[in-house]
Amino acid sequence: MILHQVEALAAAGVTDIVLAVNYRPDVMVAHLKKYEEQYNVKITFSVENEPLGTAGPLKLAEEILGKDDTPFFVLNSDVVCDYPFQQLANFHKSHNDEGTIVVTKVEEPSKYGVVVHKPSHPSKIDRFVEKPVEFVGNRINAGIYILNPSILKRIELRPTSIEQETFPAMVRDDQLHSFDLEGFWMDVGQPKDFLSGTCLFLSSLTKKGSKLLTPATEAFVHGGNVMIDPSAKIGSNCRIGPNVTIGPNVVIGDGVRIQRSVVLEGSRIKDHAWIKSTIVGWHGTVGKWARLENVTVMGDDVTIADEVYVNGGSILPHKTIKANIDVPAIIM
Amino acid sequence: MATKAVILVGGSQRGTRFRPLSLDLPKPLFEVAGHPIIWHCLAALTKIEVKEVLVIGYYDEYIFRDFIRDSSKEFPQFTIKYLREYEPLGTAGGLYHFRDNILKGAPKRFFVLNADVCCSFPLKEMLQLSDDREADAVILGTRVSNEAASSFGCIVSDPATKRVLHYVEKPESHISNLINCGVYLFDTSVISRINRARVIKTERKQTDPLYDPSDDTGSADVLRLEQDILGALADDKSFYVYETRDFWRQIKTAGSAVPANALYLQKAHQSASEDLAAASLNIIPPVYIHPTAKVDPTAKLGPNVSIGPRAIIGPGARVKESIVLEDAEIKHDACVLYSIVGWNAKIGAWARVEGTPISVTQHSTTVLKNGVKVQSVTILAKDCIVQDEIRVQNCVCLPYKELKRDVSNEVIM
């Protein structure tokens, strides 16, 4: 997921990327370092020893972000969209103020924090209203910003929120603008949203005619939006798609049906299994004639026995499931 | 010594609990392990010396015509005759009504088999016990759990002599866990015992102040073995019980056909019957496949599966603990577990039709799901269609329904 962001940033001319992490940094480092060369960017890891909120990590990385006076992008990693970095940078340069936040239109603004503009200005932000009861606008913070290094002076090195402290201060000084996002946007922090986000992302790749997608001329591809790693093996008489990604070294048996799912690296799906709206974790095994659906999430190295049905199970790593899970449950 | 046999088949007003499978076919003709339920009774009777089998019920004659014609050829050792009651007379009433047919040829004893039981029918052993004790009556009994016992006829017996001391049908309190299996061996003198009981019942109706005529639903001749005769026989001191340790199951609800199918298949498997499909990578025995059925070699079947005439099982399909009836079709990669797939029903590709396994000691065919009783077995009646990739769990689906969405724990009208 984060790789899509790295790729889009590199394409927009970004040369330094700071990843602010506090969870399993070793895993992240091992995974991402190899891409530095491929995309010709320098990736630095800024590890928080204690969680610093959404603004604190920026202060922590002040040395890199503030090394010259060119603006920097800030991205929440669990946001998936058509990243508009180039247009965003151009727009930011044109207004000469300290910051620009990307906003997206939503149908139900009452669930989010809504951005309200100044009546006299098309982009300048007047205030934020958290979970509004009455309609005040339908644009919300999309979790992507471009900011001038000068804003680092506004942040103290302590747990602090960019949305609740830094941005309101910038609004008071008339320094914050919004930029409308075209196309899809999705916060994929939850597995359910992760699957929806994958669907949106794959659709957008299809629209762009991306070469990453498996061509629909393959007999097993059904309904398009299918991305299969070249190292994965697919059996005969399978029907895969729409909206499926299959990771490296995955082995899929005969007569397997997969739709709206993500199958991660090294997993094995045995013959005649049926999988929908499911995340098959790394090195997982799904038995013959098993049926997984309704946002089933398999952790690392989970095994589902032959003929077992799982309805919305969140299964923790290294478990073996031998009996049906009829109603959504967390399996410890 | 000449012995006759009576098979009680009931009538179309009965067997309602076997719906939706009895809507199109009388229950005794429903096929388990590749043969009609009543066929298994006949097969058991070939193991002993029986010259005549009387099938008593109140279905129209034509219903059993083909079956009796075919069975007469298959079992030339006895003649088979259907005797129709014109109104339900009860299990004992029917025996009394057709007493002349039973007594013709002066047999000493006769068997009475309820068609709705599934068991190994240890008839030889019952004859032996009858000889040893010079018994007027021998009943087949089996032990069940204490909780299950009160839904059956309960027998109290002398452990040493096996004499029946007391018999009570479906008691409210716990009496015994030895229950009536619905298989009897009677001396012909029992016919006159039934007559005596009939007279007593008629007299009681006239004199008993507690008798409420509105309780009486059938004809005055209605007499039931279980309620009206067996208790009295126990008082006569010549009534014995043969206790089977082999399998026994009642075939009441449609779902009970699945365990009955499994038990008869296992019995056939143990006796190395040539009826069954040979074991292989994709056949886990016991499995019965009708010679006209088409099963793809990549489909995996068993254990305890019966596939009916002209049924089609597609590539990569999975069928386990299930009955697939005539002309049904299961498409590729579909999965059918603990279910009955009705006549001409169609199951789409990657569909999953599933019941819940129940333990072998359980005599009920319902399971509790979220506090609600549901059928453990999924039943698709005649001409039902399950679309591709649809899931059906613990449902009873009435004829001609098409399932286009996932369903569970429902009766689909």
Side-chain angles (χ1 to χ4, degrees), chain A residues 237-239 254-257 259 272-274 288-291 293 306-309 324 326-327, chain B residues 298 300 316-318 320 332-335 337 350-352 354 369-370 388-391 393 406:
Chain A
N237 303 318
C238 289
R239 191 181 290 173
D254 296 340
V256 169
R257 176 82 182 99
Q259 53 202 309
H272 321 297
W274 187 96
K288 292 182 181 180
W289 291 287
R291 183 181 175 109
E293 62 182 323
D306 289 356
E307 297 161 24
V308 164
Y309 169 66
N324 285 3
D326 285 339
V327 288
Chain B
T298 62
K300 185 175 175 184
R318 175 77 178 102
K320 174 169 139 184
H332 67 87
D333 303 295
C335 185
L337 312 169
W350 284 294
R352 184 181 175 100
E354 179 180 19
K369 279 205 145 185
N370 309 325
D388 287 359
E389 306 188 31
I390 294 300
R391 176 171 179 269
Q393 188 193 31
D406 292 356

Tab-separated table of all heavy atoms in Angstrom, chain A residues 237-239 254-257 259 272-274 288-291 293 306-309 324 326-327, chain B residues 298 300 316-318 320 332-335 337 350-352 354 369-370 388-391 393 406:
chain	number	residue	atom	x	y	z
A	237	ASN	N	-9.239	-24.256	-14.588
A	237	ASN	CA	-10.672	-24.030	-14.331
A	237	ASN	C	-10.948	-23.103	-13.150
A	237	ASN	O	-11.924	-23.294	-12.421
A	237	ASN	CB	-11.395	-25.358	-14.108
A	237	ASN	CG	-11.210	-26.289	-15.281
A	237	ASN	OD1	-11.284	-25.868	-16.433
A	237	ASN	ND2	-10.937	-27.551	-14.997
A	238	CYS	N	-10.080	-22.135	-12.928
A	238	CYS	CA	-10.334	-21.155	-11.873
A	238	CYS	C	-11.130	-19.999	-12.450
A	238	CYS	O	-11.143	-19.773	-13.660
A	238	CYS	CB	-9.017	-20.613	-11.313
A	238	CYS	SG	-8.140	-21.836	-10.338
A	239	ARG	N	-11.812	-19.266	-11.563
A	239	ARG	CA	-12.486	-18.032	-11.978
A	239	ARG	C	-12.093	-16.966	-10.966
A	239	ARG	O	-12.487	-17.033	-9.802
A	239	ARG	CB	-14.000	-18.247	-11.994
A	239	ARG	CG	-14.728	-17.085	-12.671
A	239	ARG	CD	-16.211	-17.310	-12.660
A	239	ARG	NE	-16.622	-18.397	-13.539
A	239	ARG	CZ	-17.867	-18.863	-13.587
A	239	ARG	NH1	-18.807	-18.359	-12.807
A	239	ARG	NH2	-18.185	-19.847	-14.420
A	254	ASP	N	-6.894	-26.049	-8.524
A	254	ASP	CA	-7.861	-26.129	-9.626
A	254	ASP	C	-9.254	-25.752	-9.148
A	254	ASP	O	-9.624	-26.027	-8.010
A	254	ASP	CB	-7.919	-27.568	-10.168
A	254	ASP	CG	-6.602	-27.995	-10.782
A	254	ASP	OD1	-5.801	-27.104	-11.120
A	254	ASP	OD2	-6.379	-29.212	-10.906
A	255	GLY	N	-10.039	-25.172	-10.053
A	255	GLY	CA	-11.450	-24.902	-9.767
A	255	GLY	C	-11.662	-23.946	-8.609
A	255	GLY	O	-12.642	-24.058	-7.885
A	256	VAL	N	-10.736	-23.011	-8.422
A	256	VAL	CA	-10.859	-22.056	-7.310
A	256	VAL	C	-11.585	-20.806	-7.789
A	256	VAL	O	-11.374	-20.342	-8.911
A	256	VAL	CB	-9.461	-21.699	-6.753
A	256	VAL	CG1	-9.525	-20.530	-5.790
A	256	VAL	CG2	-8.839	-22.918	-6.089
A	257	ARG	N	-12.447	-20.260	-6.949
A	257	ARG	CA	-13.196	-19.040	-7.256
A	257	ARG	C	-12.786	-17.971	-6.255
A	257	ARG	O	-12.938	-18.172	-5.038
A	257	ARG	CB	-14.695	-19.342	-7.141
A	257	ARG	CG	-15.609	-18.132	-7.338
A	257	ARG	CD	-15.814	-17.855	-8.807
A	257	ARG	NE	-16.635	-16.672	-9.026
A	257	ARG	CZ	-16.137	-15.467	-9.310
A	257	ARG	NH1	-14.843	-15.269	-9.380
A	257	ARG	NH2	-16.949	-14.448	-9.531
A	259	GLN	N	-13.068	-13.679	-5.502
A	259	GLN	CA	-13.533	-12.363	-5.914
A	259	GLN	C	-13.389	-11.384	-4.750
A	259	GLN	O	-13.493	-11.770	-3.595
A	259	GLN	CB	-14.996	-12.431	-6.391
A	259	GLN	CG	-15.941	-13.072	-5.400
A	259	GLN	CD	-17.190	-13.584	-6.063
A	259	GLN	OE1	-17.855	-12.873	-6.796
A	259	GLN	NE2	-17.524	-14.834	-5.817
A	272	HIS	N	-10.903	-26.018	-5.544
A	272	HIS	CA	-12.351	-25.820	-5.373
A	272	HIS	C	-12.739	-24.895	-4.222
A	272	HIS	O	-13.904	-24.855	-3.838
A	272	HIS	CB	-13.073	-27.172	-5.202
A	272	HIS	CG	-12.524	-28.260	-6.077
A	272	HIS	ND1	-12.574	-28.188	-7.448
A	272	HIS	CD2	-11.885	-29.426	-5.774
A	272	HIS	CE1	-11.991	-29.291	-7.956
A	272	HIS	NE2	-11.558	-30.030	-6.979
A	273	ALA	N	-11.793	-24.182	-3.646
A	273	ALA	CA	-12.136	-23.235	-2.582
A	273	ALA	C	-12.895	-22.050	-3.192
A	273	ALA	O	-12.768	-21.767	-4.389
A	273	ALA	CB	-10.878	-22.757	-1.867
A	274	TRP	N	-13.674	-21.368	-2.358
A	274	TRP	CA	-14.480	-20.214	-2.791
A	274	TRP	C	-14.199	-19.074	-1.826
A	274	TRP	O	-14.398	-19.221	-0.622
A	274	TRP	CB	-15.954	-20.611	-2.774
A	274	TRP	CG	-16.894	-19.595	-3.356
A	274	TRP	CD1	-17.390	-19.559	-4.615
A	274	TRP	CD2	-17.516	-18.494	-2.665
A	274	TRP	NE1	-18.261	-18.516	-4.761
A	274	TRP	CE2	-18.364	-17.844	-3.594
A	274	TRP	CE3	-17.428	-17.991	-1.356
A	274	TRP	CZ2	-19.124	-16.729	-3.256
A	274	TRP	CZ3	-18.184	-16.869	-1.016
A	274	TRP	CH2	-19.023	-16.254	-1.978
A	288	LYS	N	-9.426	-27.410	0.592
A	288	LYS	CA	-10.320	-27.745	-0.513
A	288	LYS	C	-11.768	-27.514	-0.103
A	288	LYS	O	-12.161	-27.878	1.008
A	288	LYS	CB	-10.149	-29.222	-0.875
A	288	LYS	CG	-8.805	-29.553	-1.497
A	288	LYS	CD	-8.761	-31.026	-1.849
A	288	LYS	CE	-7.416	-31.369	-2.450
A	288	LYS	NZ	-7.343	-32.792	-2.803
A	289	TRP	N	-12.542	-26.955	-0.994
A	289	TRP	CA	-13.972	-26.691	-0.801
A	289	TRP	C	-14.249	-25.814	0.427
A	289	TRP	O	-15.356	-25.801	0.939
A	289	TRP	CB	-14.785	-27.993	-0.700
A	289	TRP	CG	-14.847	-28.743	-1.987
A	289	TRP	CD1	-15.569	-28.421	-3.101
A	289	TRP	CD2	-14.150	-29.943	-2.313
A	289	TRP	NE1	-15.349	-29.342	-4.087
A	289	TRP	CE2	-14.495	-30.293	-3.638
A	289	TRP	CE3	-13.264	-30.754	-1.606
A	289	TRP	CZ2	-13.981	-31.420	-4.269
A	289	TRP	CZ3	-12.758	-31.885	-2.243
A	289	TRP	CH2	-13.124	-32.204	-3.556
A	290	ALA	N	-13.248	-25.110	0.909
A	290	ALA	CA	-13.506	-24.163	1.992
A	290	ALA	C	-14.231	-22.968	1.384
A	290	ALA	O	-14.146	-22.723	0.170
A	290	ALA	CB	-12.198	-23.728	2.638
A	291	ARG	N	-14.970	-22.245	2.217
A	291	ARG	CA	-15.666	-21.052	1.742
A	291	ARG	C	-15.414	-19.930	2.743
A	291	ARG	O	-15.742	-20.051	3.925
A	291	ARG	CB	-17.167	-21.327	1.613
A	291	ARG	CG	-17.962	-20.138	1.050
A	291	ARG	CD	-19.440	-20.502	0.971
A	291	ARG	NE	-20.277	-19.399	0.559
A	291	ARG	CZ	-20.876	-19.324	-0.637
A	291	ARG	NH1	-20.735	-20.272	-1.517
A	291	ARG	NH2	-21.646	-18.296	-0.927
A	293	GLU	N	-15.873	-15.700	3.471
A	293	GLU	CA	-16.564	-14.514	2.964
A	293	GLU	C	-16.803	-13.484	4.062
A	293	GLU	O	-16.404	-13.684	5.209
A	293	GLU	CB	-17.901	-14.921	2.312
A	293	GLU	CG	-18.886	-15.572	3.258
A	293	GLU	CD	-20.164	-15.995	2.532
A	293	GLU	OE1	-20.619	-15.280	1.630
A	293	GLU	OE2	-20.702	-17.046	2.880
A	306	ASP	N	-10.026	-28.274	5.105
A	306	ASP	CA	-10.906	-28.602	3.984
A	306	ASP	C	-12.377	-28.476	4.396
A	306	ASP	O	-12.749	-28.846	5.512
A	306	ASP	CB	-10.681	-30.067	3.540
A	306	ASP	CG	-9.339	-30.261	2.846
A	306	ASP	OD1	-8.615	-29.275	2.644
A	306	ASP	OD2	-9.040	-31.417	2.503
A	307	GLU	N	-13.197	-27.980	3.490
A	307	GLU	CA	-14.661	-27.967	3.615
A	307	GLU	C	-15.201	-27.068	4.724
A	307	GLU	O	-16.364	-27.140	5.075
A	307	GLU	CB	-15.191	-29.399	3.811
A	307	GLU	CG	-14.891	-30.285	2.609
A	307	GLU	CD	-14.970	-31.772	2.928
A	307	GLU	OE1	-15.666	-32.133	3.879
A	307	GLU	OE2	-14.334	-32.557	2.210
A	308	VAL	N	-14.354	-26.242	5.291
A	308	VAL	CA	-14.797	-25.379	6.392
A	308	VAL	C	-15.339	-24.064	5.838
A	308	VAL	O	-14.863	-23.553	4.830
A	308	VAL	CB	-13.632	-25.138	7.373
A	308	VAL	CG1	-13.898	-23.964	8.300
A	308	VAL	CG2	-13.375	-26.407	8.167
A	309	TYR	N	-16.370	-23.527	6.518
A	309	TYR	CA	-16.972	-22.257	6.138
A	309	TYR	C	-16.611	-21.187	7.168
A	309	TYR	O	-16.718	-21.427	8.370
A	309	TYR	CB	-18.491	-22.423	6.075
A	309	TYR	CG	-19.251	-21.131	5.946
A	309	TYR	CD1	-19.130	-20.360	4.797
A	309	TYR	CD2	-20.083	-20.675	6.965
A	309	TYR	CE1	-19.824	-19.170	4.670
A	309	TYR	CE2	-20.786	-19.492	6.839
A	309	TYR	CZ	-20.652	-18.742	5.691
A	309	TYR	OH	-21.338	-17.569	5.563
A	324	ASN	N	-16.621	-24.865	11.240
A	324	ASN	CA	-17.238	-23.674	10.658
A	324	ASN	C	-17.259	-22.507	11.636
A	324	ASN	O	-17.447	-22.698	12.836
A	324	ASN	CB	-18.696	-23.968	10.287
A	324	ASN	CG	-18.808	-24.812	9.033
A	324	ASN	OD1	-17.806	-25.234	8.465
A	324	ASN	ND2	-20.031	-25.028	8.604
A	326	ASP	N	-19.751	-19.658	11.790
A	326	ASP	CA	-21.008	-19.278	11.136
A	326	ASP	C	-21.317	-17.793	11.268
A	326	ASP	O	-21.979	-17.222	10.412
A	326	ASP	CB	-22.178	-20.070	11.738
A	326	ASP	CG	-22.186	-21.506	11.248
A	326	ASP	OD1	-21.581	-21.758	10.193
A	326	ASP	OD2	-22.782	-22.356	11.917
A	327	VAL	N	-20.897	-17.207	12.379
A	327	VAL	CA	-21.177	-15.783	12.580
A	327	VAL	C	-19.861	-15.061	12.828
A	327	VAL	O	-18.926	-15.647	13.378
A	327	VAL	CB	-22.139	-15.546	13.769
A	327	VAL	CG1	-23.542	-15.989	13.411
A	327	VAL	CG2	-21.683	-16.286	15.006
B	298	THR	N	-13.401	-36.283	-11.281
B	298	THR	CA	-12.724	-35.342	-10.366
B	298	THR	C	-13.615	-34.928	-9.200
B	298	THR	O	-13.183	-34.188	-8.324
B	298	THR	CB	-12.268	-34.070	-11.103
B	298	THR	OG1	-13.432	-33.416	-11.621
B	298	THR	CG2	-11.312	-34.393	-12.233
B	300	LYS	N	-15.496	-35.525	-5.658
B	300	LYS	CA	-15.142	-36.340	-4.493
B	300	LYS	C	-16.417	-36.651	-3.703
B	300	LYS	O	-17.148	-35.744	-3.301
B	300	LYS	CB	-14.146	-35.573	-3.627
B	300	LYS	CG	-13.624	-36.376	-2.458
B	300	LYS	CD	-12.542	-35.580	-1.721
B	300	LYS	CE	-12.094	-36.305	-0.470
B	300	LYS	NZ	-11.123	-35.502	0.288
B	316	GLY	N	-15.025	-31.618	-9.975
B	316	GLY	CA	-14.580	-30.923	-8.769
B	316	GLY	C	-15.670	-30.661	-7.753
B	316	GLY	O	-15.480	-29.855	-6.849
B	317	ALA	N	-16.820	-31.345	-7.868
B	317	ALA	CA	-17.865	-31.167	-6.852
B	317	ALA	C	-17.528	-32.040	-5.646
B	317	ALA	O	-16.753	-32.985	-5.751
B	317	ALA	CB	-19.226	-31.540	-7.418
B	318	ARG	N	-18.101	-31.693	-4.488
B	318	ARG	CA	-17.854	-32.440	-3.259
B	318	ARG	C	-19.204	-32.796	-2.652
B	318	ARG	O	-20.039	-31.909	-2.438
B	318	ARG	CB	-17.064	-31.553	-2.280
B	318	ARG	CG	-16.836	-32.170	-0.907
B	318	ARG	CD	-15.732	-33.192	-0.975
B	318	ARG	NE	-15.434	-33.788	0.329
B	318	ARG	CZ	-15.856	-35.014	0.701
B	318	ARG	NH1	-16.617	-35.728	-0.098
B	318	ARG	NH2	-15.512	-35.506	1.869
B	320	LYS	N	-20.843	-35.066	0.631
B	320	LYS	CA	-20.511	-35.823	1.842
B	320	LYS	C	-21.752	-35.951	2.710
B	320	LYS	O	-22.513	-34.992	2.846
B	320	LYS	CB	-19.411	-35.039	2.572
B	320	LYS	CG	-19.002	-35.560	3.927
B	320	LYS	CD	-17.736	-34.843	4.360
B	320	LYS	CE	-17.746	-34.478	5.820
B	320	LYS	NZ	-16.573	-33.712	6.200
B	332	HIS	N	-20.127	-27.947	-11.309
B	332	HIS	CA	-18.710	-28.032	-10.945
B	332	HIS	C	-18.342	-27.196	-9.714
B	332	HIS	O	-18.879	-26.119	-9.491
B	332	HIS	CB	-17.822	-27.659	-12.138
B	332	HIS	CG	-17.919	-26.218	-12.552
B	332	HIS	ND1	-17.150	-25.241	-11.986
B	332	HIS	CD2	-18.699	-25.605	-13.467
B	332	HIS	CE1	-17.441	-24.079	-12.551
B	332	HIS	NE2	-18.386	-24.273	-13.447
B	333	ASP	N	-17.450	-27.744	-8.900
B	333	ASP	CA	-16.873	-27.088	-7.727
B	333	ASP	C	-17.881	-26.788	-6.615
B	333	ASP	O	-17.556	-26.078	-5.663
B	333	ASP	CB	-16.118	-25.802	-8.120
B	333	ASP	CG	-15.031	-26.066	-9.147
B	333	ASP	OD1	-14.080	-26.773	-8.802
B	333	ASP	OD2	-15.143	-25.594	-10.307
B	334	ALA	N	-19.123	-27.302	-6.732
B	334	ALA	CA	-20.102	-27.093	-5.659
B	334	ALA	C	-19.810	-28.058	-4.517
B	334	ALA	O	-19.129	-29.060	-4.694
B	334	ALA	CB	-21.513	-27.307	-6.185
B	335	CYS	N	-20.346	-27.736	-3.334
B	335	CYS	CA	-20.058	-28.512	-2.128
B	335	CYS	C	-21.378	-28.809	-1.422
B	335	CYS	O	-22.140	-27.890	-1.111
B	335	CYS	CB	-19.122	-27.674	-1.251
B	335	CYS	SG	-18.541	-28.495	0.210
B	337	LEU	N	-22.982	-30.883	1.854
B	337	LEU	CA	-22.645	-31.583	3.088
B	337	LEU	C	-23.906	-31.745	3.934
B	337	LEU	O	-24.664	-30.795	4.111
B	337	LEU	CB	-21.626	-30.769	3.900
B	337	LEU	CG	-20.391	-30.210	3.175
B	337	LEU	CD1	-19.662	-29.211	4.068
B	337	LEU	CD2	-19.463	-31.323	2.765
B	350	TRP	N	-19.892	-23.728	-7.636
B	350	TRP	CA	-19.337	-23.109	-6.423
B	350	TRP	C	-20.403	-22.813	-5.368
B	350	TRP	O	-20.168	-22.024	-4.452
B	350	TRP	CB	-18.547	-21.836	-6.748
B	350	TRP	CG	-17.199	-22.090	-7.336
B	350	TRP	CD1	-16.130	-22.676	-6.719
B	350	TRP	CD2	-16.753	-21.754	-8.659
B	350	TRP	NE1	-15.064	-22.735	-7.587
B	350	TRP	CE2	-15.405	-22.175	-8.780
B	350	TRP	CE3	-17.356	-21.153	-9.745
B	350	TRP	CZ2	-14.659	-21.995	-9.926
B	350	TRP	CZ3	-16.613	-20.983	-10.903
B	350	TRP	CH2	-15.282	-21.398	-10.986
B	351	ALA	N	-21.578	-23.395	-5.507
B	351	ALA	CA	-22.582	-23.214	-4.452
B	351	ALA	C	-22.193	-24.099	-3.274
B	351	ALA	O	-21.408	-25.038	-3.424
B	351	ALA	CB	-23.958	-23.589	-4.970
B	352	ARG	N	-22.734	-23.783	-2.106
B	352	ARG	CA	-22.478	-24.607	-0.925
B	352	ARG	C	-23.802	-24.875	-0.239
B	352	ARG	O	-24.489	-23.950	0.202
B	352	ARG	CB	-21.530	-23.876	0.025
B	352	ARG	CG	-21.128	-24.704	1.255
B	352	ARG	CD	-20.214	-23.867	2.136
B	352	ARG	NE	-19.873	-24.533	3.374
B	352	ARG	CZ	-18.716	-25.166	3.591
B	352	ARG	NH1	-17.823	-25.238	2.644
B	352	ARG	NH2	-18.471	-25.725	4.760
B	354	GLU	N	-25.457	-26.971	2.853
B	354	GLU	CA	-24.824	-27.538	4.032
B	354	GLU	C	-25.782	-27.696	5.207
B	354	GLU	O	-26.567	-26.807	5.503
B	354	GLU	CB	-23.691	-26.579	4.436
B	354	GLU	CG	-22.924	-26.954	5.646
B	354	GLU	CD	-21.828	-25.926	5.953
B	354	GLU	OE1	-21.908	-24.784	5.454
B	354	GLU	OE2	-20.913	-26.262	6.671
B	369	LYS	N	-29.581	-23.254	17.180
B	369	LYS	CA	-28.692	-22.241	16.592
B	369	LYS	C	-29.162	-20.887	17.072
B	369	LYS	O	-30.299	-20.509	16.791
B	369	LYS	CB	-28.748	-22.315	15.071
B	369	LYS	CG	-27.879	-23.409	14.530
B	369	LYS	CD	-27.488	-23.081	13.121
B	369	LYS	CE	-26.103	-23.556	12.834
B	369	LYS	NZ	-25.697	-23.113	11.503
B	370	ASN	N	-28.320	-20.183	17.770
B	370	ASN	CA	-28.681	-18.903	18.389
B	370	ASN	C	-29.977	-19.044	19.182
B	370	ASN	O	-30.851	-18.185	19.142
B	370	ASN	CB	-28.854	-17.793	17.347
B	370	ASN	CG	-27.659	-17.707	16.420
B	370	ASN	OD1	-26.532	-17.935	16.846
B	370	ASN	ND2	-27.919	-17.410	15.166
B	388	ASP	N	-25.509	-20.304	-8.911
B	388	ASP	CA	-24.054	-20.369	-8.760
B	388	ASP	C	-23.609	-19.564	-7.533
B	388	ASP	O	-24.100	-18.457	-7.291
B	388	ASP	CB	-23.350	-19.741	-9.983
B	388	ASP	CG	-23.452	-20.620	-11.217
B	388	ASP	OD1	-24.041	-21.719	-11.138
B	388	ASP	OD2	-22.949	-20.194	-12.277
B	389	GLU	N	-22.685	-20.138	-6.782
B	389	GLU	CA	-21.983	-19.456	-5.682
B	389	GLU	C	-22.853	-19.130	-4.476
B	389	GLU	O	-22.404	-18.462	-3.537
B	389	GLU	CB	-21.279	-18.176	-6.178
B	389	GLU	CG	-20.348	-18.469	-7.354
B	389	GLU	CD	-19.493	-17.293	-7.764
B	389	GLU	OE1	-19.145	-16.481	-6.912
B	389	GLU	OE2	-19.161	-17.218	-8.962
B	390	ILE	N	-24.111	-19.588	-4.472
B	390	ILE	CA	-25.004	-19.296	-3.349
B	390	ILE	C	-24.774	-20.309	-2.233
B	390	ILE	O	-24.447	-21.455	-2.471
B	390	ILE	CB	-26.486	-19.332	-3.835
B	390	ILE	CG1	-26.747	-18.200	-4.810
B	390	ILE	CG2	-27.470	-19.297	-2.669
B	390	ILE	CD1	-26.525	-16.818	-4.257
B	391	ARG	N	-24.982	-19.860	-0.995
B	391	ARG	CA	-24.796	-20.728	0.154
B	391	ARG	C	-26.128	-20.961	0.855
B	391	ARG	O	-26.881	-20.019	1.119
B	391	ARG	CB	-23.823	-20.061	1.125
B	391	ARG	CG	-23.634	-20.832	2.393
B	391	ARG	CD	-22.511	-20.231	3.209
B	391	ARG	NE	-22.391	-20.979	4.426
B	391	ARG	CZ	-23.038	-20.671	5.542
B	391	ARG	NH1	-23.806	-19.617	5.591
B	391	ARG	NH2	-22.900	-21.409	6.613
B	393	GLN	N	-27.648	-22.957	4.235
B	393	GLN	CA	-27.259	-23.687	5.432
B	393	GLN	C	-28.450	-23.917	6.347
B	393	GLN	O	-29.207	-22.987	6.634
B	393	GLN	CB	-26.168	-22.909	6.183
B	393	GLN	CG	-25.595	-23.728	7.337
B	393	GLN	CD	-24.766	-22.890	8.278
B	393	GLN	OE1	-25.032	-21.718	8.461
B	393	GLN	NE2	-23.769	-23.491	8.871
B	406	ASP	N	-27.896	-15.921	-0.393
B	406	ASP	CA	-27.485	-16.834	0.671
B	406	ASP	C	-28.585	-16.925	1.717
B	406	ASP	O	-29.196	-15.911	2.073
B	406	ASP	CB	-26.204	-16.312	1.351
B	406	ASP	CG	-25.000	-16.372	0.418
B	406	ASP	OD1	-25.160	-16.886	-0.703
B	406	ASP	OD2	-23.925	-15.923	0.827
